[in-house]
Amino acid sequence: MIRTAVPADVPVIHRMIRDLAEYEKALHEARATPGQLHDALFGDRPAAYAHIAETDTGEVAGFALWFLNFSTWRGVHGIYLEDLYVRPELRGGGHGKALLAELARICVERGYERLEWSVLNWNRPSIDFYESLGARPQDEWTVYRLTDAALTKLGSV
């Protein structure tokens, strides 16, 4: 049901990223191209990794796109899950749980001590799903982000 993504998966991953952005009411922010995605996943220096969830008939049901992070407190890598998406008509079939279980398996196998991700505060179905797996919110932290003009301004100092 879960396999490592291959270059031929880039178009379907790109489509699902756009579907996820639309669901999150931020399609206008999803500017990555299939070429950029291909380079990030399969270029000379991959920056990210992806896994594909398939149905019993080989239909792509969803994906997880992730990258390594590092904990200075624990002294080891972890996985940061950038995107987890299962097509709406295939939700409830265990694909999301299987994708998360695969990432947890990778963490355990490699000695990584954290699997982390972000979820929108209004996305109650996802929050309930994650909490049913034992995940807990890190509500003592606030995510900050620099983009666009603010990033350019600070980077030009």
Side-chain angles (χ1 to χ4, degrees):
M1 179 188 293
I2 305 300
R3 64 174 174 79
T4 302
V6 297
D9 292 317
V10 168
V12 72
I13 293 171
H14 184 259
R15 177 71 252 154
M16 288 187 290
I17 288 170
R18 300 211 27 101
D19 291 346
L20 175 60
E22 185 172 21
Y23 172 76
E24 292 182 348
K25 302 173 178 73
L27 184 57
H28 62 284
E29 294 181 38
R31 300 184 304 214
T33 67
Q36 289 172 315
L37 189 57
H38 182 275
D39 289 347
L41 293 170
F42 305 107
D44 292 336
R45 297 180 66 188
Y49 308 92
H51 284 79
I52 299 292
E54 292 182 332
T55 66
D56 293 337
T57 62
E59 178 183 9
V60 173
F63 78 103
L65 193 142
W66 57 278
F67 56 89
L68 294 179
N69 60 14
F70 184 81
S71 170
T72 57
W73 289 11
R74 298 214 173 188
V76 296
H77 281 293
I79 286 177
Y80 186 84
L81 175 61
E82 179 66 21
D83 285 334
L84 175 71
Y85 182 77
V86 175
R87 293 179 27 224
E89 66 274 17
L90 297 172
R91 291 181 187 154
H95 303 291
K97 183 177 181 179
L99 285 162
L100 284 170
E102 177 62 12
L103 298 186
R105 185 196 65 73
I106 291 169
C107 285
V108 171
E109 177 182 274
R110 297 181 186 178
Y112 303 163
E113 295 188 12
R114 291 182 178 167
L115 172 55
E116 297 178 313
W117 62 91
S118 297
V119 61
L120 290 165
N121 292 334
W122 57 259
N123 192 346
R124 180 47 57 188
S126 292
I127 292 168
D128 291 344
F129 168 64
Y130 298 144
E131 290 183 354
S132 77
L133 300 175
R136 295 294 171 251
Q138 301 298 298
D139 55 9
E140 298 167 350
W141 297 86
T142 299
V143 175
Y144 281 83
R145 179 179 294 159
L146 279 171
T147 62
D148 304 322
L151 178 64
T152 300
K153 181 179 178 183
L154 184 60
S156 300
V157 171

